[in-house]
């Protein structure tokens, strides 16, 4: 596997869509997809509403009879009929404001995009498993357990020649063990980066290729539990309902707190409901833990009726790129999303529309566009990034992203109370310059802190995360003195609180990533440490959660 024609880093929906489309267009082309997860879908957190058009475009092309398959009947059997867009005004009060979204659509106000009726309700993990199966049936090499740590970029020719895999078989002190295997270099004619949010290789490529973002990328973190409920509760919730709730416990107008985000609920399978909390990483409360907000959300009377007494059977966490259109990394001189023979796909590029609260459809379209771009540029793959950007535009991805281009910046600058309504003015609002998420931390505390600490050990166990215990820690605190002299005295070491897997602990008066084997690969610590003092690097292949 030292040389392939097309190398795709990441076997999520974007990467697999690219591989399958390319194989359909060029059956003889050598395509290889590599992924750090142990098995298909392991790093794709379940639960999403997905617009049908993009997925159906892909499947119609690569497997025309897909509607008749058993997988389609199982994975795509739920569609949104009951679309609950809620505002929680406290622990017991809830208002369905879906009618406001319908009015916004009627008057062509951008908030009208926040309507989900007719969308698929699905598990992204199960969808990814199916797409991986289809890709292999087409003759595509999809290899799991291969973690990429760097991209090999020739700055004189402005092209990438390959990637470097992480070394395996080192001990905690980085010494070589008897089973040591040096990280292989895989060369390729073109590379697609589809790692997901805050991809390690993608961010390295952005620096090496001198790509820039017009605004800083902003992130949220989502924490989610899959709960098995009773027959009566599921019948009441139905398999046709999705819930997106704003307000309490993240935002109480005027009185505070004032955080961006909200709760979500989706049916995943019979008697199983996914319940989650998504929170913008620009929160200012030093003692805030998103899992505490999830606990509060679950205890709200509206939510409680559907899940009380249920059993948590799975859990997980991931980040979401929220910066929008102006946070997409581009080569400044051409506007290309990528450079030369390297293309950036899906969440790695930040193709999430926060007004829709969706990115899966754009991820799939980006994969289709990337494949078409490679075919268009077979004689000159250094032009692939330019062709890819043009095709993203022709598929409507970039125009859609423009409709929500300032939303997240408005809220970051003005807060939810003013930032959300002003977004209705669209392009008339100036593009605010906002600071990185980690700079917003203050000594304020979260007013709705539950009396009981969240059980992170059980949460981590429910994510089934695994790493080889003897390998070097993939989490690094850059400067220990900053932790001891600045962060701990001022903020009480917030990484210990907000890490969903309990990776960080104080050991003999020193904050350490004491439990790296617990890591869920969400990378929240890297983006929220108030002194930008933590770095996440890729562990050995096959590590991480098993969703």
């Amino acid at each position: 596997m030292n040389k392939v024609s097309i190398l795709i880093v990441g076997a999520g929906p974007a990467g697999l869509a690219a591989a399958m489309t390319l194989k359909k267009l060029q059956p003889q082309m050598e395509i290889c997809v590599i992924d750090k997860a142990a098995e298909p879908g392991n790093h794709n957190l379940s639960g999403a509403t997905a617009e049908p058009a993009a997925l159906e475009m892909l499947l119609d092309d690569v497997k025309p009879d897909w509607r008749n398959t058993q997988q389609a009947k199982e994975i795509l059997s739920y569609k949104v009929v009951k679309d609950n867009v809620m505002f929680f005004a406290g622990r017991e009060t809830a208002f369905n404001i879906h009618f406001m979204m319908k009015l916004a659509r009627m008057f062509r106000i951008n908030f009208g995009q926040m309507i989900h009726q007719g969308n698929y309700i699905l598990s992204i993990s199960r969808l990814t498993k199916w797409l991986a199966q289809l890709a292999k049936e087409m003759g595509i090499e999809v290899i799991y357990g291969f973690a990429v740590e760097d991209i090999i970029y020739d700055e004189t020719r402005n092209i990438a020649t390959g990637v470097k895999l992480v070394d395996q078989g080192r001990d905690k002190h980085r010494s070589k063990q008897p089973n040591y295997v040096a990280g292989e270099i895989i060369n390729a004619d073109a590379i697609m980066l589809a790692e997901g949010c805050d991809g390690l290789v993608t961010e390295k490529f952005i620096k090496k290729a001198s790509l820039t973002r017009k605004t800083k990328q902003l992130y949220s973190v989502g924490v989610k539990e899959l709960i098995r409920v009773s027959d009566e509760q599921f019948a009441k919730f139905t398999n046709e309902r999705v819930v997106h709730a704003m307000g309490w416990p993240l935002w109480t107008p005027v009185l505070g707190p004032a955080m961006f985000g909200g709760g979500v609920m989706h049916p995943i399978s019979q008697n199983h409901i996914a319940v989650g909390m998504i929170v913008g990483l620009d929160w200012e409360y030093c003692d805030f833990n998103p899992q505490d907000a999830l606990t509060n959300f679950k205890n709200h009377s509206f939510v409680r009726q559907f899940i009380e007494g249920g059993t948590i059977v799975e859990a997980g966490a991931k980040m979401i790129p929220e910066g929008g259109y102006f946070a997409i990394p581009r080569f400044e001189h051409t506007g290309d999303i990528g450079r030369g023979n390297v293309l950036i796909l899906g969440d790695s590029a930040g193709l999430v529309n926060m007004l829709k609260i969706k990115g899966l459809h754009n991820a799939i379209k980006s994969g289709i566009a990337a494949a078409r771009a490679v075919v268009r540029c077979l004689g000159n793959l250094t032009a692939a990034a330019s062709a890819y950007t043009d095709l993203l535009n022709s598929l409507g991805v970039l125009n859609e992203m423009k409709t929500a281009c300032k939303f997240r910046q408005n809220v970051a600058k003005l807060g939810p109370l003013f930032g959300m309504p002003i977004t209705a003015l669209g392009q008339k609002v100036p593009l605010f310059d906002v600071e990185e998420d980690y700079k917003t931390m203050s000594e304020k505390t979260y007013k709705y802190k539950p009396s009981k600490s969240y059980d992170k050990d059980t949460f981590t166990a429910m994510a089934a995360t695994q790493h080889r215990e003897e390998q070097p820690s993939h989490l690094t605190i850059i400067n220990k003195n900053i932790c001891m002299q600045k962060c701990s005295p001022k903020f009480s070491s917030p990484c210990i609180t907000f890490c969903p897997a309990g990776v960080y602990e104080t050991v003999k008066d020193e904050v350490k990533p004491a439990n790296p084997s617990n890591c869920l690969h969400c990378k929240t610590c890297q983006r929220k440490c108030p002194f930008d003092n933590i770095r996440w690097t890729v562990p050995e292949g096959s590590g991480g959660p098993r969703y």
Side-chain angles (χ1 to χ4, degrees), residues 5-6 189-190 340-343 373-375 377-385:
S5 297
I6 308 298
D189 297 324
N341 65 338
V342 182
L343 319 180
V374 165
V375 173
C377 301
L378 282 177
N380 178 22
L381 285 171
T382 60

Side-chain angles (χ1 to χ4, degrees), residues 400-435:
E400 180 192 309
M401 292 295 294
K402 286 178 184 177
T403 65
C405 63
K406 300 174 183 177
F407 174 43
R408 194 60 185 86
Q409 288 77 17
N410 294 343
V411 178
K413 187 73 173 181
L414 304 173
L417 182 60
F418 298 106
M420 294 184 74
I422 204 173
T423 297
L425 298 176
Q427 300 297 326
K428 297 176 183 178
V429 181
L431 178 60
F432 294 114
D433 182 23
V434 298
E435 57 192 359

